[in-house]
Amino acid sequence: MLRLAGLANAGSRRLPEWAVWLAGLIPLAWLVWLTFTGGLGVDPVRGIEHRLGKTGLWFLIGTLAIPPLRALTGVNLLRHRRAVGLLSFLYIALHLTAWIWLEMGLLWAQAIRDLARRPYLFFGITAFLLLLPLALTSNKAAIRGLGRNWRRLHLLVWPAAGLGVLHYLWQMKIVSAEGWIWAAILAALLIWRVIQPWIRTRRQKIRPGIRAESLSD
Ligand code: HEM
């Protein structure tokens, strides 16, 4: 296990950020291909919307899973967390764009009527608005400028993910296990995030020499 984690970490250290972006854009390239080859079935707009929403959710949960992955397995992907988070924002922004442009035809009055008809869209929009300042401050200048407040601000990712999952669960026409699996994963990640400071303190008591940096997320 340790050997595998070591190999994964060596690979991760060597992996440039652009390669993570390239890999993260594969689902988008695949979606473009399906759109132009008629691979999205009878309702391509719905297909585009749904695929973008799901991919955004995968990346969002993926971002939150990076610290526990390191704590539980030793695999350290922290240096790629920013790219994964920004990829999540990109897909969610495209998901929103698909709704307003392809489904609503940029007709704002119709969009407002749709919001009243499908209240779960409010959850989605609120989640997007919470993610917006995070995406805008995911750069070195903002991290330096905001200091400790940067960490506080980025805790908004949790309510955003919660609202994203609620939005997903509510829009399901047929109850499917998938939505609940995402909800369970998010709940497990949140529990881990809440108990993690306690685990950290206990570990420090047991092994006082442990480097503070190796415990931070
Ligand atoms: C964090 C933010 C969001 C996440 C994680 C998210 C995720 C999802 C997911 C996973 C689906 C279902 C995909 C499927 O069943 O295959 C979905 C559907 C949908 N989302 Fe979002 N979404 C978000 C924000 C938004 C926003 C801002 C809008 C725009 C108002 C929006 C509009 C829609 C629409 C129209 C659907 C299709 C619903 C239907 O078929 O009735 N979403 N979203």
mmCIF file of all heavy atoms in Angstrom, residues 184-217:
data_model
loop_
_atom_site.group_PDB
_atom_site.id
_atom_site.type_symbol
_atom_site.label_atom_id
_atom_site.label_comp_id
_atom_site.label_asym_id
_atom_site.label_seq_id
_atom_site.Cartn_x
_atom_site.Cartn_y
_atom_site.Cartn_z
ATOM 1 N N ALA A 184 -24.510 10.342 -0.093
ATOM 2 C CA ALA A 184 -23.814 9.602 0.967
ATOM 3 C C ALA A 184 -22.319 9.923 0.937
ATOM 4 O O ALA A 184 -21.692 10.109 1.996
ATOM 5 C CB ALA A 184 -24.044 8.105 0.788
ATOM 6 N N ILE A 185 -21.740 10.019 -0.258
ATOM 7 C CA ILE A 185 -20.300 10.328 -0.351
ATOM 8 C C ILE A 185 -20.045 11.723 0.245
ATOM 9 O O ILE A 185 -19.124 11.929 1.033
ATOM 10 C CB ILE A 185 -19.803 10.249 -1.818
ATOM 11 C CG1 ILE A 185 -19.887 8.802 -2.323
ATOM 12 C CG2 ILE A 185 -18.377 10.783 -1.952
ATOM 13 C CD1 ILE A 185 -19.579 8.631 -3.799
ATOM 14 N N LEU A 186 -20.925 12.682 -0.131
ATOM 15 C CA LEU A 186 -20.738 14.040 0.384
ATOM 16 C C LEU A 186 -20.871 14.056 1.908
ATOM 17 O O LEU A 186 -20.073 14.701 2.596
ATOM 18 C CB LEU A 186 -21.750 15.006 -0.263
ATOM 19 C CG LEU A 186 -21.617 16.450 0.197
ATOM 20 C CD1 LEU A 186 -20.261 17.032 -0.206
ATOM 21 C CD2 LEU A 186 -22.735 17.316 -0.370
ATOM 22 N N ALA A 187 -21.853 13.305 2.450
ATOM 23 C CA ALA A 187 -22.041 13.263 3.906
ATOM 24 C C ALA A 187 -20.789 12.681 4.572
ATOM 25 O O ALA A 187 -20.311 13.209 5.580
ATOM 26 C CB ALA A 187 -23.275 12.436 4.249
ATOM 27 N N ALA A 188 -20.225 11.611 3.974
ATOM 28 C CA ALA A 188 -19.022 10.989 4.555
ATOM 29 C C ALA A 188 -17.850 11.987 4.536
ATOM 30 O O ALA A 188 -17.104 12.107 5.510
ATOM 31 C CB ALA A 188 -18.667 9.725 3.779
ATOM 32 N N LEU A 189 -17.729 12.733 3.432
ATOM 33 C CA LEU A 189 -16.630 13.708 3.333
ATOM 34 C C LEU A 189 -16.792 14.814 4.371
ATOM 35 O O LEU A 189 -15.823 15.268 4.976
ATOM 36 C CB LEU A 189 -16.580 14.313 1.928
ATOM 37 C CG LEU A 189 -16.131 13.371 0.806
ATOM 38 C CD1 LEU A 189 -16.351 14.020 -0.555
ATOM 39 C CD2 LEU A 189 -14.653 13.021 0.983
ATOM 40 N N LEU A 190 -18.056 15.229 4.579
ATOM 41 C CA LEU A 190 -18.321 16.290 5.550
ATOM 42 C C LEU A 190 -18.001 15.815 6.966
ATOM 43 O O LEU A 190 -17.368 16.534 7.738
ATOM 44 C CB LEU A 190 -19.790 16.740 5.433
ATOM 45 C CG LEU A 190 -20.192 17.916 6.312
ATOM 46 C CD1 LEU A 190 -19.370 19.158 5.985
ATOM 47 C CD2 LEU A 190 -21.668 18.240 6.126
ATOM 48 N N ILE A 191 -18.404 14.568 7.264
ATOM 49 C CA ILE A 191 -18.111 14.022 8.602
ATOM 50 C C ILE A 191 -16.592 13.997 8.805
ATOM 51 O O ILE A 191 -16.066 14.411 9.828
ATOM 52 C CB ILE A 191 -18.735 12.611 8.775
ATOM 53 C CG1 ILE A 191 -20.266 12.732 8.790
ATOM 54 C CG2 ILE A 191 -18.229 11.908 10.023
ATOM 55 C CD1 ILE A 191 -21.011 11.421 8.707
ATOM 56 N N TRP A 192 -15.883 13.556 7.763
ATOM 57 C CA TRP A 192 -14.423 13.493 7.853
ATOM 58 C C TRP A 192 -13.850 14.890 8.113
ATOM 59 O O TRP A 192 -12.979 15.074 8.949
ATOM 60 C CB TRP A 192 -13.839 12.905 6.568
ATOM 61 C CG TRP A 192 -12.359 12.685 6.712
ATOM 62 C CD1 TRP A 192 -11.742 11.583 7.219
ATOM 63 C CD2 TRP A 192 -11.323 13.605 6.388
ATOM 64 N NE1 TRP A 192 -10.395 11.757 7.226
ATOM 65 C CE2 TRP A 192 -10.103 12.981 6.722
ATOM 66 C CE3 TRP A 192 -11.297 14.885 5.849
ATOM 67 C CZ2 TRP A 192 -8.889 13.595 6.540
ATOM 68 C CZ3 TRP A 192 -10.078 15.509 5.668
ATOM 69 C CH2 TRP A 192 -8.886 14.859 6.008
ATOM 70 N N ARG A 193 -14.377 15.874 7.402
ATOM 71 C CA ARG A 193 -13.886 17.265 7.544
ATOM 72 C C ARG A 193 -14.115 17.783 8.962
ATOM 73 O O ARG A 193 -13.279 18.494 9.515
ATOM 74 C CB ARG A 193 -14.608 18.159 6.514
ATOM 75 C CG ARG A 193 -14.205 19.615 6.531
ATOM 76 C CD ARG A 193 -12.770 19.751 6.036
ATOM 77 N NE ARG A 193 -12.317 21.121 5.974
ATOM 78 C CZ ARG A 193 -11.904 21.833 7.030
ATOM 79 N NH1 ARG A 193 -11.929 21.307 8.225
ATOM 80 N NH2 ARG A 193 -11.489 23.078 6.874
ATOM 81 N N VAL A 194 -15.252 17.382 9.568
ATOM 82 C CA VAL A 194 -15.580 17.871 10.906
ATOM 83 C C VAL A 194 -14.710 17.182 11.961
ATOM 84 O O VAL A 194 -14.222 17.836 12.884
ATOM 85 C CB VAL A 194 -17.097 17.673 11.196
ATOM 86 C CG1 VAL A 194 -17.427 17.973 12.641
ATOM 87 C CG2 VAL A 194 -17.923 18.576 10.274
ATOM 88 N N ILE A 195 -14.476 15.864 11.795
ATOM 89 C CA ILE A 195 -13.720 15.163 12.857
ATOM 90 C C ILE A 195 -12.198 15.247 12.649
ATOM 91 O O ILE A 195 -11.445 14.927 13.550
ATOM 92 C CB ILE A 195 -14.150 13.677 13.017
ATOM 93 C CG1 ILE A 195 -13.854 12.879 11.739
ATOM 94 C CG2 ILE A 195 -15.602 13.554 13.417
ATOM 95 C CD1 ILE A 195 -13.943 11.376 11.954
ATOM 96 N N GLN A 196 -11.783 15.707 11.447
ATOM 97 C CA GLN A 196 -10.363 15.715 11.115
ATOM 98 C C GLN A 196 -9.502 16.547 12.093
ATOM 99 O O GLN A 196 -8.437 16.081 12.490
ATOM 100 C CB GLN A 196 -10.222 16.194 9.675
ATOM 101 C CG GLN A 196 -8.848 16.278 9.164
ATOM 102 C CD GLN A 196 -8.641 17.620 8.500
ATOM 103 O OE1 GLN A 196 -9.433 18.539 8.674
ATOM 104 N NE2 GLN A 196 -7.586 17.722 7.730
ATOM 105 N N PRO A 197 -9.940 17.758 12.543
ATOM 106 C CA PRO A 197 -9.103 18.500 13.498
ATOM 107 C C PRO A 197 -8.876 17.715 14.789
ATOM 108 O O PRO A 197 -7.789 17.737 15.365
ATOM 109 C CB PRO A 197 -9.915 19.776 13.784
ATOM 110 C CG PRO A 197 -10.863 19.891 12.647
ATOM 111 C CD PRO A 197 -11.135 18.510 12.161
ATOM 112 N N TRP A 198 -9.908 16.961 15.201
ATOM 113 C CA TRP A 198 -9.798 16.155 16.417
ATOM 114 C C TRP A 198 -8.762 15.041 16.208
ATOM 115 O O TRP A 198 -7.895 14.818 17.045
ATOM 116 C CB TRP A 198 -11.194 15.583 16.725
ATOM 117 C CG TRP A 198 -11.234 14.698 17.910
ATOM 118 C CD1 TRP A 198 -11.263 15.091 19.220
ATOM 119 C CD2 TRP A 198 -11.237 13.262 17.896
ATOM 120 N NE1 TRP A 198 -11.289 13.983 20.027
ATOM 121 C CE2 TRP A 198 -11.271 12.846 19.244
ATOM 122 C CE3 TRP A 198 -11.223 12.294 16.896
ATOM 123 C CZ2 TRP A 198 -11.291 11.500 19.597
ATOM 124 C CZ3 TRP A 198 -11.230 10.966 17.252
ATOM 125 C CH2 TRP A 198 -11.263 10.571 18.584
ATOM 126 N N ILE A 199 -8.830 14.374 15.036
ATOM 127 C CA ILE A 199 -7.864 13.297 14.726
ATOM 128 C C ILE A 199 -6.447 13.886 14.726
ATOM 129 O O ILE A 199 -5.509 13.311 15.265
ATOM 130 C CB ILE A 199 -8.172 12.668 13.347
ATOM 131 C CG1 ILE A 199 -9.560 12.032 13.340
ATOM 132 C CG2 ILE A 199 -7.110 11.647 12.943
ATOM 133 C CD1 ILE A 199 -9.995 11.525 11.981
ATOM 134 N N ARG A 200 -6.335 15.081 14.137
ATOM 135 C CA ARG A 200 -5.037 15.746 14.036
ATOM 136 C C ARG A 200 -4.442 16.009 15.412
ATOM 137 O O ARG A 200 -3.277 15.715 15.667
ATOM 138 C CB ARG A 200 -5.280 17.076 13.312
ATOM 139 C CG ARG A 200 -4.085 17.610 12.623
ATOM 140 C CD ARG A 200 -4.389 18.945 12.028
ATOM 141 N NE ARG A 200 -4.998 18.869 10.717
ATOM 142 C CZ ARG A 200 -5.264 19.958 9.982
ATOM 143 N NH1 ARG A 200 -5.027 21.152 10.447
ATOM 144 N NH2 ARG A 200 -5.793 19.822 8.792
ATOM 145 N N THR A 201 -5.274 16.525 16.332
ATOM 146 C CA THR A 201 -4.786 16.821 17.682
ATOM 147 C C THR A 201 -4.338 15.539 18.376
ATOM 148 O O THR A 201 -3.300 15.501 19.026
ATOM 149 C CB THR A 201 -5.914 17.484 18.525
ATOM 150 O OG1 THR A 201 -6.665 18.323 17.683
ATOM 151 C CG2 THR A 201 -5.376 18.268 19.698
ATOM 152 N N ARG A 202 -5.128 14.486 18.210
ATOM 153 C CA ARG A 202 -4.778 13.211 18.858
ATOM 154 C C ARG A 202 -3.449 12.687 18.322
ATOM 155 O O ARG A 202 -2.596 12.269 19.071
ATOM 156 C CB ARG A 202 -5.877 12.177 18.579
ATOM 157 C CG ARG A 202 -6.874 12.074 19.706
ATOM 158 C CD ARG A 202 -7.833 10.965 19.407
ATOM 159 N NE ARG A 202 -7.177 9.662 19.538
ATOM 160 C CZ ARG A 202 -7.109 8.992 20.675
ATOM 161 N NH1 ARG A 202 -7.646 9.482 21.767
ATOM 162 N NH2 ARG A 202 -6.519 7.817 20.722
ATOM 163 N N ARG A 203 -3.284 12.771 16.978
ATOM 164 C CA ARG A 203 -2.034 12.269 16.377
ATOM 165 C C ARG A 203 -0.850 13.066 16.882
ATOM 166 O O ARG A 203 0.205 12.525 17.147
ATOM 167 C CB ARG A 203 -2.119 12.423 14.853
ATOM 168 C CG ARG A 203 -2.721 11.222 14.198
ATOM 169 C CD ARG A 203 -2.193 11.162 12.777
ATOM 170 N NE ARG A 203 -3.197 10.571 11.921
ATOM 171 C CZ ARG A 203 -3.329 10.834 10.641
ATOM 172 N NH1 ARG A 203 -2.547 11.716 10.070
ATOM 173 N NH2 ARG A 203 -4.238 10.239 9.911
ATOM 174 N N GLN A 204 -1.047 14.378 17.021
ATOM 175 C CA GLN A 204 0.058 15.218 17.478
ATOM 176 C C GLN A 204 0.440 14.869 18.912
ATOM 177 O O GLN A 204 1.606 14.930 19.275
ATOM 178 C CB GLN A 204 -0.318 16.693 17.376
ATOM 179 C CG GLN A 204 0.209 17.280 16.079
ATOM 180 C CD GLN A 204 -0.354 18.647 15.794
ATOM 181 O OE1 GLN A 204 -1.414 19.009 16.290
ATOM 182 N NE2 GLN A 204 0.348 19.406 14.981
ATOM 183 N N LYS A 205 -0.581 14.475 19.715
ATOM 184 C CA LYS A 205 -0.298 14.096 21.105
ATOM 185 C C LYS A 205 0.494 12.798 21.145
ATOM 186 O O LYS A 205 1.424 12.636 21.912
ATOM 187 C CB LYS A 205 -1.618 13.919 21.865
ATOM 188 C CG LYS A 205 -2.097 15.229 22.463
ATOM 189 C CD LYS A 205 -3.276 14.989 23.368
ATOM 190 C CE LYS A 205 -3.973 16.304 23.677
ATOM 191 N NZ LYS A 205 -5.379 16.116 23.929
ATOM 192 N N ILE A 206 0.098 11.852 20.218
ATOM 193 C CA ILE A 206 0.768 10.549 20.202
ATOM 194 C C ILE A 206 2.189 10.686 19.660
ATOM 195 O O ILE A 206 3.134 10.151 20.180
ATOM 196 C CB ILE A 206 -0.050 9.531 19.355
ATOM 197 C CG1 ILE A 206 -1.421 9.319 19.997
ATOM 198 C CG2 ILE A 206 0.683 8.197 19.232
ATOM 199 C CD1 ILE A 206 -2.423 8.645 19.094
ATOM 200 N N ARG A 207 2.299 11.474 18.537
ATOM 201 C CA ARG A 207 3.621 11.642 17.914
ATOM 202 C C ARG A 207 3.940 13.130 17.871
ATOM 203 O O ARG A 207 3.756 13.777 16.844
ATOM 204 C CB ARG A 207 3.603 11.072 16.483
ATOM 205 C CG ARG A 207 3.554 9.552 16.473
ATOM 206 C CD ARG A 207 3.674 9.027 15.083
ATOM 207 N NE ARG A 207 2.463 9.283 14.302
ATOM 208 C CZ ARG A 207 2.409 9.190 12.986
ATOM 209 N NH1 ARG A 207 3.473 8.907 12.293
ATOM 210 N NH2 ARG A 207 1.280 9.400 12.350
ATOM 211 N N PRO A 208 4.423 13.713 18.979
ATOM 212 C CA PRO A 208 4.594 15.168 19.031
ATOM 213 C C PRO A 208 5.585 15.694 17.986
ATOM 214 O O PRO A 208 5.498 16.840 17.588
ATOM 215 C CB PRO A 208 5.103 15.439 20.450
ATOM 216 C CG PRO A 208 5.241 14.130 21.121
ATOM 217 C CD PRO A 208 4.818 13.042 20.216
ATOM 218 N N GLY A 209 6.472 14.829 17.510
ATOM 219 C CA GLY A 209 7.488 15.288 16.562
ATOM 220 C C GLY A 209 6.980 15.457 15.150
ATOM 221 O O GLY A 209 7.656 16.017 14.296
ATOM 222 N N ILE A 210 5.749 14.991 14.900
ATOM 223 C CA ILE A 210 5.237 14.999 13.519
ATOM 224 C C ILE A 210 5.167 16.414 12.958
ATOM 225 O O ILE A 210 4.823 17.354 13.676
ATOM 226 C CB ILE A 210 3.867 14.295 13.479
ATOM 227 C CG1 ILE A 210 3.542 13.877 12.060
ATOM 228 C CG2 ILE A 210 2.778 15.167 14.036
ATOM 229 C CD1 ILE A 210 2.507 12.763 12.029
ATOM 230 N N ARG A 211 5.573 16.559 11.707
ATOM 231 C CA ARG A 211 5.621 17.894 11.104
ATOM 232 C C ARG A 211 4.213 18.437 10.907
ATOM 233 O O ARG A 211 3.333 17.758 10.390
ATOM 234 C CB ARG A 211 6.313 17.820 9.740
ATOM 235 C CG ARG A 211 7.822 17.770 9.872
ATOM 236 C CD ARG A 211 8.483 17.968 8.548
ATOM 237 N NE ARG A 211 8.026 16.971 7.578
ATOM 238 C CZ ARG A 211 7.672 17.241 6.346
ATOM 239 N NH1 ARG A 211 7.662 18.465 5.911
ATOM 240 N NH2 ARG A 211 7.304 16.287 5.531
ATOM 241 N N ALA A 212 3.975 19.680 11.345
ATOM 242 C CA ALA A 212 2.652 20.305 11.205
ATOM 243 C C ALA A 212 2.233 20.327 9.748
ATOM 244 O O ALA A 212 1.080 20.071 9.403
ATOM 245 C CB ALA A 212 2.688 21.721 11.755
ATOM 246 N N GLU A 213 3.216 20.540 8.866
ATOM 247 C CA GLU A 213 2.902 20.674 7.429
ATOM 248 C C GLU A 213 2.327 19.373 6.862
ATOM 249 O O GLU A 213 1.422 19.357 6.054
ATOM 250 C CB GLU A 213 4.184 21.095 6.714
ATOM 251 C CG GLU A 213 4.118 21.190 5.208
ATOM 252 C CD GLU A 213 4.695 19.962 4.553
ATOM 253 O OE1 GLU A 213 5.686 19.429 5.047
ATOM 254 O OE2 GLU A 213 4.104 19.540 3.556
ATOM 255 N N SER A 214 2.864 18.230 7.385
ATOM 256 C CA SER A 214 2.416 16.945 6.850
ATOM 257 C C SER A 214 1.000 16.612 7.280
ATOM 258 O O SER A 214 0.393 15.684 6.784
ATOM 259 C CB SER A 214 3.371 15.832 7.274
ATOM 260 O OG SER A 214 3.176 15.556 8.633
ATOM 261 N N LEU A 215 0.482 17.387 8.244
ATOM 262 C CA LEU A 215 -0.889 17.114 8.683
ATOM 263 C C LEU A 215 -1.899 18.078 8.098
ATOM 264 O O LEU A 215 -3.096 17.870 8.182
ATOM 265 C CB LEU A 215 -0.965 17.212 10.223
ATOM 266 C CG LEU A 215 -0.228 16.117 10.977
ATOM 267 C CD1 LEU A 215 -0.090 16.490 12.430
ATOM 268 C CD2 LEU A 215 -0.966 14.803 10.829
ATOM 269 N N SER A 216 -1.434 19.167 7.541
ATOM 270 C CA SER A 216 -2.393 20.168 7.057
ATOM 271 C C SER A 216 -3.033 19.730 5.774
ATOM 272 O O SER A 216 -2.480 18.943 5.029
ATOM 273 C CB SER A 216 -1.673 21.494 6.843
ATOM 274 O OG SER A 216 -0.900 21.408 5.698
ATOM 275 N N ASP A 217 -4.264 20.246 5.523
ATOM 276 C CA ASP A 217 -4.908 19.905 4.272
ATOM 277 C C ASP A 217 -4.811 21.070 3.313
ATOM 278 O O ASP A 217 -5.556 21.198 2.423
ATOM 279 C CB ASP A 217 -6.384 19.511 4.508
ATOM 280 C CG ASP A 217 -7.212 20.631 5.082
ATOM 281 O OD1 ASP A 217 -6.625 21.689 5.388
ATOM 282 O OD2 ASP A 217 -8.402 20.461 5.249
#
